[in-house]
């Protein structure tokens, strides 16, 4: 998963892009990059690491100009090489820099096509470089010295015809402006906003509205699925629907886990959607277990706090913080290897024994993926003296891989892939397990915007809105299993050693 941002204004944008990326840091901690343009030349800095570590004074001073694009990266199936840090740049036509959130599912085919048919060489394993080159190729069909909005819309239509999968994109044309577009299903989010400055209007595109809020931009709206919005150097805004059959199929996991609660995605407040998930969890418990003996509801920080609080309130039982989080270590999920993951759960969370001792506790998490965190946490609750341990997942059982840009393990490594609810409960060691139903999850989100009828729910259902099947998953399985991840990490370590030698 990645975070993207683009600004076009009247003042230097380097600091604003940096600040925006720190707000989007939860979407990717692996690499960061910013490209800016002064209308003649572009300036680029990208490297592995957190935003605060990638940019130093000397880089910020070098990033000149009043428009630019930024990216934070979280690798899925690709490598963690810094060569794959974004934005990517291609000089022809018009000097295009591009930041991408999502995943192309026909990247292999496109890579061949780009070489054989378009004579374009792709230098990394990143699908985003492929996407950039497809966009560039489509744009090069236009022949004018200066690009027009019409040219850009024609190129985005070409991207939609050729690319399959999920893509929210912000691209900058060095002498012309910034364009934001979303795939025809709108799987990954993208918004744009505006603010008034003394010199006129300034515009921002971002993965999440929270990046607009913190810098005084007003949310105008979401970029629609299939739509492209182009803002030129004169501050003129052009928009066009560039897809033949656009529809909303936003990734529902954005609401479950990824997005910040203070973001609004496709007109739904993430915080409120999570509250509704909590309320529906409580209703399910009361329906199926009217004489429950839950003493206390305890969230597994951070994401599930919102739903837990509402769940406890609806159940009428106390809500307590029972796990204290060490904020200074990384997410556990992205560390390869089961042993490392288990160790890091214990490093990350410490139980407050007095909240557990002798009580029947209902632990709440936003999701159960591998079950590593859940299993460890259940054991920690027992070690801290809990009497009974129940568990609620504020989303349904995750049974299938994500192919649209979320780092999920191979299907075999998902604890619920070939287990029933009872078997998952036994595997993580709980006395009782509740999953939110898919119907309840969909209702919890779509209540905020009745226009949203369909979502990408593929990790729960195995139905992929872009129609992937068979061979694609066999390849994916091979790329994503733990052994492969560890091998890639080791390969990268070897490269790092060579580089620094
Ligand atoms: P697990 O031990 O694999 O079941 O981890 C479940 C935890 O991982 C939950 O607390 C989620 O908040 C979190 N989580 C869910 N999806 C992801 C993801 N794609 N990347 C990192 N963490 C995740």
């Amino acid at each position: 998963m990645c975070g993207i941002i683009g600004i076009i204004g009247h003042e230097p944008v380097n600091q604003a892009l940096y600040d925006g990326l720190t707000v989007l840091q939860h979407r990717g901690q692996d690499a960061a990059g910013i490209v800016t343009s002064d209308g003649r030349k572009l300036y680029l800095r990208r490297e592995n690491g957190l935003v605060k570590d990638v940019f130093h004074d000397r880089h910020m001073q070098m990033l000149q100009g009043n428009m630019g694009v930024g990216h934070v990266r979280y690798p899925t199936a690709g490598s963690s090489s810094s060569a794959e840090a974004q934005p990517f740049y291609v000089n022809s036509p018009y000097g295009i820099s591009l930041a991408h959130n999502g995943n192309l599912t026909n990247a292999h085919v496109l890579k061949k096509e780009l070489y054989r048919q378009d004579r374009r060489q792709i230098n990394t394993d990143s699908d985003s470089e492929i996407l950039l080159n497809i966009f560039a190729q489509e744009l090069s069909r236009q022949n004018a010295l200066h690009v027009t909005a019409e040219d850009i819309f024609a190129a985005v239509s070409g991207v939609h015809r050729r690319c399959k999968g999920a893509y929210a994109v912000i691209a900058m044309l060095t002498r012309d402006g910034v364009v934001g577009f979303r795939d025809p299903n709108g799987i990954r989010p993208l918004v744009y906003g505006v603010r008034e400055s003394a010199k006129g209007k300034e515009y921002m595109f971002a993965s999440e509205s929270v990046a607009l809020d913190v810098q005084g931009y007003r949310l105008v709206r979401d970029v629609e699925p299939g739509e492209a919005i182009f803002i030129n150097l004169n501050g003129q805004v052009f928009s066009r629907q560039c897809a033949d059959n656009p529809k909303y199929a936003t990734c529902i996991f954005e609401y479950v886990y990824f997005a910040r609660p203070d973001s609004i995605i496709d007109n739904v407040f993430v915080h409120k959607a999570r509250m509704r998930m909590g309320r529906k969890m409580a209703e399910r418990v009361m329906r199926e277990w009217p004489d429950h003996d839950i003493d206390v509801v305890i969230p597994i920080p951070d994401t599930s706090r919102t739903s837990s609080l509402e769940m406890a309130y609806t159940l009428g039982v106390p809500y307590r913080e029972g796990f204290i989080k060490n904020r200074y270590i990384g997410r556990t999920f992205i560390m390869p290897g089961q042993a490392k993951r288990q160790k890091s759960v214990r490093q990350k969370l410490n139980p407050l024994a007095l909240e557990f001792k002798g009580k029947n506790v209902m632990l709440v998490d936003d999701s159960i993926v591998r079950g590593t965190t859940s299993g460890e946490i259940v054991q920690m609750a027992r070690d801290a003296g809990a009497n009974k341990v129940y568990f609620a997942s504020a989303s349904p059982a995750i049974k299938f891989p994500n192919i649209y840009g979320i780092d999920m393990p191979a299907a075999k490594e998902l604890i619920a892939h070939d287990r029933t609810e009872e078997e998952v409960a036994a595997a993580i060691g709980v006395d009782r397990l509740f999953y939110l139903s898919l119907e309840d999850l969909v209702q919890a989100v779509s209540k905020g915007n009745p226009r949203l009828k369909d979502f990408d729910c593929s990790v729960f259902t195995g139905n992929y809105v872009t129609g992937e099947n068979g061979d694609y998953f066999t390849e994916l399985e091979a790329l994503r299993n733990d052994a492969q991840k560890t091998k890639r990490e080791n390969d990268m370590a070897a490269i790092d050693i060579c580089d620094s030698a």
Side-chain angles (χ1 to χ4, degrees):
M1 182 61 72
C2 302
I4 57 177
I5 183 168
I7 302 179
I8 178 161
H10 303 286
E11 305 283 343
V13 290
N14 48 1
Q15 182 71 51
L17 287 169
Y18 176 94
D19 292 341
L21 286 182
T22 60
V23 172
L24 297 175
Q25 185 82 81
H26 62 286
R27 298 184 69 86
Q29 301 94 43
D30 196 59
I34 290 179
V35 61
T36 59
S37 164
D38 58 12
R40 289 177 313 116
K41 274 176 77 177
L42 66 83
Y43 307 90
L44 173 66
R45 164 72 183 162
R46 52 186 192 140
E47 191 45 83
N48 279 357
L50 295 173
V51 176
K52 71 178 173 48
D53 300 323
V54 166
F55 302 99
H56 302 159
D57 278 354
R58 63 181 189 283
H59 306 122
M60 296 303 283
Q61 278 160 17
M62 176 269 292
L63 291 168
Q64 293 170 24
N66 296 351
M67 69 172 171
V69 171
H71 187 269
V72 283
R73 174 169 188 267
Y74 182 161
T76 41
S79 90
S80 315
S81 155
S82 61
E84 294 191 11
Q86 298 189 38
F88 279 111
Y89 171 69
V90 70
N91 76 348
S92 175
Y94 308 113
I96 310 170
S97 313
L98 178 142
H100 165 217
N101 174 205
N103 182 49
L104 298 188
T105 55
N106 63 342
H108 276 34
V109 179
L110 292 174
K111 193 170 184 173
K112 279 195 199 128
E113 210 176 277
L114 277 168
Y115 192 74
R116 293 198 182 143
Q117 178 184 311
D118 304 326
R119 302 284 183 271
R120 284 178 177 266
Q121 158 66 14
I122 302 299
N123 226 32
T124 65
D125 288 333
S126 166
D127 59 322
S128 308
E129 193 190 357
I130 293 171
L131 180 60
L132 166 61
N133 276 272
I134 295 281
F135 181 55
Q137 186 62 30
E138 293 299 314
L139 202 54
S140 66
R141 296 185 201 282
Q142 329 303 325
N143 231 343
L145 189 57
H146 275 281
V147 74
T148 64
E150 288 304 316
D151 298 335
I152 288 176
F153 297 148
V156 173
S157 297
V159 170
H160 291 336
R161 273 193 302 276
R162 295 177 72 177
C163 296
K164 214 172 141 187
Y167 45 96
V169 172
I170 306 174
M172 178 178 80
L173 283 73
T174 309
R175 292 169 181 261
D176 299 283
V178 175
V179 55
F181 59 92
R182 239 172 132 187
D183 68 71
N185 297 298
I187 297 173
R188 292 282 149 243
L190 188 64
V191 293
Y192 91 104
V194 63
R195 80 175 172 196
E196 301 286 344
S197 79
K199 294 182 186 155
K201 287 185 170 150
E202 304 191 293
Y203 294 91
M204 183 193 286
F205 290 100
S207 295
E208 291 184 35
S209 62
V210 61
L212 305 174
D213 299 347
V214 297
Q215 303 207 51
Y217 283 79
R218 175 176 58 78
L219 173 64
V220 176
R221 62 178 175 84
D222 298 272
V223 177
E224 297 266 320
E227 186 188 29
I229 299 181
F230 174 58
I231 304 170
N232 69 16
L233 284 176
N234 300 323
Q236 291 171 289
V237 181
F238 305 87
S239 65
R240 175 77 51 85
Q241 177 51 257
C242 300
D244 292 336
N245 292 306
K247 71 164 194 187
Y248 270 100
T250 317
C251 170
I252 207 155
F253 212 67
E254 291 277 351
Y255 299 96
V256 169
Y257 170 74
F258 257 102
R260 274 183 43 155
D262 43 349
S263 282
I264 301 171
I265 294 183
D266 289 330
N267 250 327
V268 178
F269 223 120
V270 175
H271 173 73
K272 290 189 83 173
R274 288 187 187 153
M275 281 172 65
R276 290 190 286 266
M277 291 171 208
R279 203 173 310 144
K280 284 182 181 291
M281 274 306 313
E283 284 163 6
R284 170 153 191 210
V285 171
M286 292 189 297
R287 228 177 16 249
E288 291 180 9
W289 194 16
D291 53 348
H292 72 77
D293 58 359
I294 305 164
D295 294 320
V296 60
V297 171
I298 295 181
I300 296 170
D302 287 313
T303 315
S304 69
R305 286 204 172 103
T306 319
S307 51
S308 306
L309 192 55
E310 194 64 15
M311 183 179 175
Y313 179 78
T314 310
L315 282 174
V317 300
Y319 165 95
R320 292 279 188 273
E321 292 283 342
F323 293 102
I324 304 304
K325 186 170 174 182
N326 173 6
R327 276 183 278 142
Y328 302 103
I329 59 167
R331 286 182 175 183
T332 56
F333 195 90
I334 53 179
M335 295 170 69
Q338 190 72 351
K340 266 195 195 170
R341 269 191 295 270
Q342 271 166 355
K343 179 162 178 265
S344 103
V345 177
R346 295 259 172 179
Q347 282 178 335
K348 193 159 123 183
L349 294 175
N350 193 39
L352 268 169
L354 62 101
E355 293 299 351
F356 292 90
K357 214 168 176 46
K359 294 185 190 164
N360 298 332
V361 298
M362 170 62 86
L363 304 180
V364 184
D365 207 347
D366 55 84
S367 56
I368 304 174
V369 185
R370 283 187 168 86
T372 321
T373 317
S374 332
E376 283 295 311
I377 284 172
V378 169
Q379 192 53 48
M380 278 157 74
R382 293 204 191 279
D383 294 346
N387 181 28
K388 295 252 176 70
V389 181
Y390 311 124
F391 201 101
S393 159
S395 61
I398 297 177
K399 290 175 175 282
F400 303 95
N402 185 286
I403 61 170
Y404 299 127
I406 295 183
D407 186 21
M408 288 266 176
K412 282 202 272 307
E413 291 159 8
L414 296 167
I415 193 165
H417 176 64
D418 48 10
R419 287 187 176 86
T420 61
E421 266 188 48
E422 292 71 32
E423 286 167 342
V424 174
I428 64 173
V430 287
D431 297 296
R432 203 158 173 164
L433 171 67
F434 292 88
Y435 277 113
L436 189 68
S437 72
L438 185 59
E439 201 190 342
D440 280 348
L441 174 61
V442 168
Q443 278 176 13
V445 179
S446 60
K447 182 143 201 290
N449 176 3
R451 267 185 79 197
L452 302 183
K453 303 242 181 304
D454 284 320
F455 293 89
D456 161 45
C457 299
S458 50
V459 295
F460 308 119
T461 61
N463 297 329
Y464 295 88
V465 63
T466 48
E468 284 70 15
N469 48 35
D471 293 349
Y472 180 78
F473 290 97
T474 318
E475 262 173 50
L476 191 76
E477 194 84 3
L479 274 172
R480 285 209 181 159
N481 62 47
D482 265 349
Q484 275 306 318
K485 275 196 181 166
T486 311
K487 182 175 176 305
R488 274 201 301 277
E489 287 283 313
N490 292 341
D491 290 350
M492 282 320 301
I495 290 169
D496 284 349
I497 291 166
C498 295
D499 282 351
S500 55

